[in-house]
Amino acid sequence: MAGHFEPLPGGGAMVALDDVEISILRSLAVQLLELIGPGTEPVEGHDPLDALFAEGPTKPPADPALARLFPDAYGGPGQKLGADEEAAAQAASSEFRRYTENDLRARKREDALAVVRGLDALARSGAGTGTETGAEAEGAEAEGAGVEGAEAEGAEAEGVEAGTGVLELSPEQSRQWLGALNDLRLAIGTRLEVTDEDDGGELLRLPDSDPRKPMVMAYFWLGGLQETLVETLMP
């Protein structure tokens, strides 16, 4: 089971992760949070509804990775439009972005936080015990204790090696993890210049000395996690 998700009876998913995998996943999720940026929180002394109805940006992000996470709703690369059509698409995208991007950022933050909370709960329970699930991590702070102190004593789950913990996700948490895994692959793929026309397979042939190699391995590892998690959500 290590390295991929399996369905749980009654819904949800489970995955076995060792200390190194926990550490890498948590680091990537925290970096994703930093990339997305802080959420829109109500200012002290102001009506909370002000933040709820605050208008978002009208222009796409300058960072290519962020622009991939928050693309224009209309037009886009690969579409051949005349000058008037392109102007109309940009205007429609700006209007759409103004009313939707804040909510989309908030949702993506919650997805990434769900990953951090689940991993922190697994680390606190002691990797290998499998006694605490992601569902029990609700309300946990995003900045937690990390994974350095996770112990590998007494693996109880059948087929799980010592030093490996079993994370269980509810159906809702599975959907949040799927969203975060997708965002991570989009961001990393953008940094690696992977396009929609290729799958990045040639990157696997990079020598180990290439500084991009760790990012490449993370990209494909996340893809495996994402694919198997999708399979657990299928009826």
Side-chain angles (χ1 to χ4, degrees), residues 196-212:
D196 292 336
E197 287 71 35
D198 67 72
D199 59 4
E202 72 282 354
L203 294 171
L204 288 172
R205 294 190 288 272
L206 290 174
D208 292 342
S209 58
D210 193 297
R212 295 171 294 173

Side-chain angles (χ1 to χ4, degrees), residues 10-235:
M14 63 190 302
V15 63
L17 299 169
D18 62 30
D19 293 348
V20 173
E21 291 168 329
I22 293 172
S23 179
I24 292 173
L25 265 178
R26 190 185 192 283
S27 176
L28 290 172
V30 169
Q31 291 178 58
L32 179 61
L33 285 167
E34 293 172 351
L35 178 65
I36 295 170
T40 304
E41 299 294 338
V43 179
E44 186 175 355
H46 287 64
D47 189 339
L49 291 177
D50 290 344
L52 181 62
F53 293 105
E55 294 184 358
T58 58
K59 296 181 179 180
D63 186 311
L66 270 179
R68 190 73 176 87
L69 296 181
F70 304 100
D72 282 333
Y74 304 96
Q79 295 193 23
K80 296 180 179 180
L81 302 175
D84 291 342
E85 292 176 318
E86 184 174 355
Q90 289 179 348
S93 292
S94 295
E95 190 72 0
F96 186 82
R97 183 182 297 276
R98 181 164 57 139
Y99 293 110
T100 61
E101 185 166 311
N102 283 346
D103 287 343
L104 184 56
R105 281 182 182 265
R107 194 197 75 198
K108 290 181 181 296
R109 280 189 59 80
E110 283 303 311
D111 289 347
L113 282 170
V115 173
V116 174
R117 289 166 180 157
L119 295 172
D120 283 352
L122 184 61
R124 284 195 300 271
S125 70
T129 64
T131 57
E132 185 168 354
T133 69
E136 296 172 58
E138 293 296 329
E141 296 297 330
E143 288 73 28
V147 298
E148 290 80 1
E151 298 296 333
E153 299 176 358
E156 296 176 356
E158 183 178 355
V160 178
E161 297 178 358
T164 299
V166 177
L167 178 69
E168 297 184 1
L169 303 175
S170 68
E172 175 59 27
Q173 289 168 332
S174 294
R175 285 186 282 271
Q176 289 181 305
W177 270 68
L178 186 59
L181 290 172
N182 183 64
D183 288 343
L184 281 170
R185 292 196 80 236
L186 286 175
I188 294 174
T190 301
R191 298 288 191 235
L192 292 171
E193 300 182 346
V194 176
T195 66
D196 292 336
E197 287 71 35
D198 67 72
D199 59 4
E202 72 282 354
L203 294 171
L204 288 172
R205 294 190 288 272
L206 290 174
D208 292 342
S209 58
D210 193 297
R212 295 171 294 173
K213 193 60 175 285
M215 191 182 299
V216 170
M217 301 310 295
Y219 177 78
F220 285 99
W221 176 53
L222 292 170
L225 289 174
Q226 182 182 10
E227 182 179 353
T228 55
L229 183 53
V230 167
E231 291 174 354
T232 70
L233 294 172
M234 291 180 177

